[in-house]
């Protein structure tokens, strides 16, 4: 019998908030917040990052980088 897993899903709404982001960055820099990065990919590979996350293969956050113009 195949093992089944339960995954909790939800919706995430994102709104630009520079001051709040700066606060999170400061908290991260002070070591009060941790973040596990599973992969760093160029923005062109966003679909790959999303597929990994949806499939449950991502062992942390996927960071998308912008290439300089």
């Amino acid at each position: 019998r195949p093992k089944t897993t339960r995954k909790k899903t939800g919706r995430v709404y994102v709104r630009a908030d520079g001051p709040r982001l700066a606060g999170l960055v400061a908290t991260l820099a002070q070591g009060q917040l941790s973040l596990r990065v599973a992969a760093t990919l160029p923005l062109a590979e966003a679909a790959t990052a999303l597929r990994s996350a949806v499939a449950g293969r991502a062992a942390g956050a996927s960071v998308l980088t912008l290439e300089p113009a």
Side-chain angles (χ1 to χ4, degrees):
R1 182 175 183 174
K3 183 179 178 181
T4 60
T5 59
R6 294 183 184 264
K7 295 185 182 191
K8 185 176 180 179
T9 61
R11 294 187 175 142
V12 176
Y13 297 95
V14 179
R15 178 174 28 128
D17 188 338
R20 188 167 184 195
L21 178 59
L24 285 172
V25 170
T27 303
L28 183 64
Q30 294 167 1
Q32 297 174 347
L33 178 68
S34 64
L35 175 66
R36 173 180 267 178
V37 176
T40 301
L41 303 165
L43 184 58
E45 294 185 36
T48 300
L50 181 59
R51 279 192 296 273
S52 291
V54 169
R57 293 189 305 260
S62 294
V63 177
L64 301 175
T65 60
L66 300 175
E67 301 296 323

